[in-house]
Amino acid sequence: MTAAETEIPGHPAVAGSVPAYRDRNVLRWLAAYTASLVGDSVYFVALAWSAQKVSGPAEVGLVMATGALPRALLMLGGGVVADRFGPRRVVIGSDAVRCLLILGVAAVIALTAPALWLLVAVALVFGAVDALFVPAVGALPPRITAPDQLARVTGMRSLSMRLSQIAGPPTGGLAMGLGGPAAAFTVAGVLFALSLPLLITVRLRPLESPHAPASADTPTGGSTARQDLIDGLRYIRRHRLILPLVISGAICELGFTGVLNVGMILLNDARGWGPSGYGWIIGAFGSGAALSAALITVVGWVPRAGLLLPGTLYVGSAGAAGIALVPTLPLAAAVAAVVGLSAGIFGSLNNALIQTTADPAYLGRVTSVVMLATVGLAPLSFPLVGAAIGAWGVTAVFVGCGAFAGLGATTALASGAVRRAGLPRAGRN
């Protein structure tokens, strides 16, 4: 480690820690997380297709948006709950509720045809429970592995997300084709059920925090939930490293999410590449992101992580702008692969630095703010990107969104704490 690079305060390097990909405790958590993510994907397929069978396109959009609303509104509260009652307890409880809810819906639909009101109600409840699950599961990694392994765990988690995106929709579609909505909801519920015994066997490390209760699964006392939420937001605002990392990550998501979803469809239509072209570009982006996750998982530590983070985001931002400028589909796919690789490394380092430096007693609230930007607020850019492309054209919007995402890199680079930040390294004390 160079003199200009500083390890995260309060987290000295750990000597002799077991690599995360050989740690059975981490692997149990990863298997549970993967089963839950695939269950999520199957659930969304079942919900969308069930809505399509009983209503029109507008109602399908309504059902899907219904679940996103409570998730966004309650996400910050979910972080408070995770910190007050312990993330393991909240993850197990919320996953159990999701399992019972989806299996119950499958039983009802097996006896009667799916009704729109039922699907709306399920989406609302599932979204609310998800607002508890997401911050809690994000707060678990620092409590199941050593600080020097958090980058690897972040890479493994990213690989799990890519696997769920690949395996979930086909699994849900196959279940729908063979047995209809009841079968698809049953498969989702069974996947949630499979994750529960694995989560129960995950062991937690002692909680090393001056603000922590005696046990990681003991509720905090002496303050209200509202006070805890305000305290968490103040903690982020005053933290010299976490605040710029959260802001840069949010700007990155707002810049990328709209163009990679709505914008990419309109780009392929404008260029005449069609649905197959869209598939090639998105597949290339996913391959680049998966490669970045694999690299972080294997390497585990990179020098000058704080400087590498904005550098990779600058590359990704330039690539996102450049996709609309290249003349051929193969070049666009190649650029998309570079964007996926760069954005994936940025996201992994950003997440690892946040989780390494955050006080464990605040991790649920910190995670909830990070996830609110990605899961809750970033999709709001969809209609804005569509309207902007209609007004100014595809090229201008892609370049503009790429430049906007680059502001996230500038925000990180402007912070001295980010520039000096480094990940803990095994074997150095």
Side-chain angles (χ1 to χ4, degrees):
M1 181 173 293
T2 64
E5 181 180 8
T6 57
E7 292 181 345
I8 301 300
H11 290 278
V14 179
S17 56
V18 178
Y21 51 76
R22 294 209 305 262
D23 187 330
R24 293 182 180 179
N25 195 47
V26 172
L27 293 178
R28 284 194 296 269
W29 167 83
L30 185 67
Y33 183 60
T34 302
S36 185
L37 284 178
V38 177
D40 275 341
S41 295
V42 174
Y43 157 74
F44 283 114
V45 169
L47 186 68
W49 278 100
S50 298
Q52 186 271 336
K53 284 181 175 292
V54 299
S55 59
E59 286 77 9
V60 173
L62 172 65
V63 170
M64 302 307 289
T66 297
L69 183 62
R71 187 182 301 111
L73 292 177
L74 300 177
M75 186 73 73
L76 295 180
V80 172
V81 173
D83 286 336
R84 286 178 69 88
F85 296 96
R88 180 174 178 272
R89 179 180 297 174
V90 176
V91 165
I92 293 172
S94 57
D95 217 27
V97 171
R98 297 197 305 175
C99 174
L100 294 174
L101 172 68
I102 301 307
L103 289 178
V105 172
V108 171
I109 292 178
L111 299 175
T112 63
L116 186 61
W117 69 265
L118 175 63
L119 299 177
V120 170
V122 170
L124 279 171
V125 176
F126 192 91
V129 177
D130 232 20
L132 297 174
F133 178 82
V134 171
V137 79
L140 275 180
R143 304 190 187 187
I144 63 174
T145 192
D148 65 293
Q149 295 300 314
L150 278 174
R152 279 198 171 104
V153 172
T154 299
M156 295 164 70
R157 183 179 177 184
S158 298
L159 281 174
S160 177
M161 293 172 64
R162 294 297 166 187
L163 176 62
S164 71
Q165 292 167 355
I166 294 170
T171 302
L174 180 62
M176 283 290 297
L178 294 177
F185 278 112
T186 299
V187 170
V190 168
L191 286 165
F192 293 141
L194 288 175
S195 70
L196 280 172
L198 293 168
L199 287 171
I200 291 171
T201 59
V202 170
R203 302 185 308 274
L204 298 188
R205 295 167 58 86
L207 185 60
E208 300 175 0
S209 167
H211 304 94
S215 166
D217 277 332
T218 301
T220 58
S223 63
T224 65
R226 181 175 179 274
Q227 290 171 332
D228 283 350
L229 175 58
I230 294 173
D231 189 34
L233 295 176
R234 284 175 178 166
Y235 172 78
I236 295 172
R237 180 173 60 85
R238 294 171 179 172
H239 203 290
R240 296 178 60 191
L241 179 59
I242 293 179
L243 179 61
L245 289 175
V246 169
I247 292 174
S248 65
I251 293 174
C252 169
E253 288 292 335
L254 288 171
F256 282 164
T257 301
V259 294
L260 290 176
N261 290 273
V262 177
M264 202 62 71
I265 295 174
L266 299 177
L267 173 67
N268 279 270
D269 179 65
R271 297 291 186 270
W273 296 334
S276 62
Y278 173 80
W280 278 107
I281 293 176
I282 294 300
F285 176 87
S287 298
L291 178 59
S292 73
L295 287 173
I296 294 295
T297 299
V298 173
V299 174
W301 179 85
V302 293
R304 307 301 297 268
L307 278 178
L308 181 61
L309 181 145
T312 55
L313 183 52
Y314 275 130
V315 173
S317 301
I323 289 178
L325 301 175
V326 297
T328 65
L329 176 59
L331 278 176
V335 173
V338 174
V339 174
L341 177 64
S342 302
I345 293 175
F346 165 80
S348 294
L349 294 179
N350 188 288
N351 187 270
L353 286 172
I354 288 175
Q355 293 209 328
T356 304
T357 192
D359 186 326
Y362 289 94
L363 256 177
R365 282 162 285 182
V366 172
T367 303
S368 69
V369 172
V370 173
M371 295 307 297
L372 179 63
T374 57
V375 177
L377 299 181
L380 296 179
S381 64
F382 290 178
L384 295 177
V385 168
I389 289 176
W392 299 305
V394 172
T395 301
V397 172
F398 267 75
V399 171
C401 287
F404 183 80
L407 293 177
T410 302
T411 300
L413 192 60
S415 167
V418 174
R419 293 195 304 272
R420 294 188 298 270
L423 294 170
R425 188 177 184 180
R428 295 175 65 92
N429 295 297

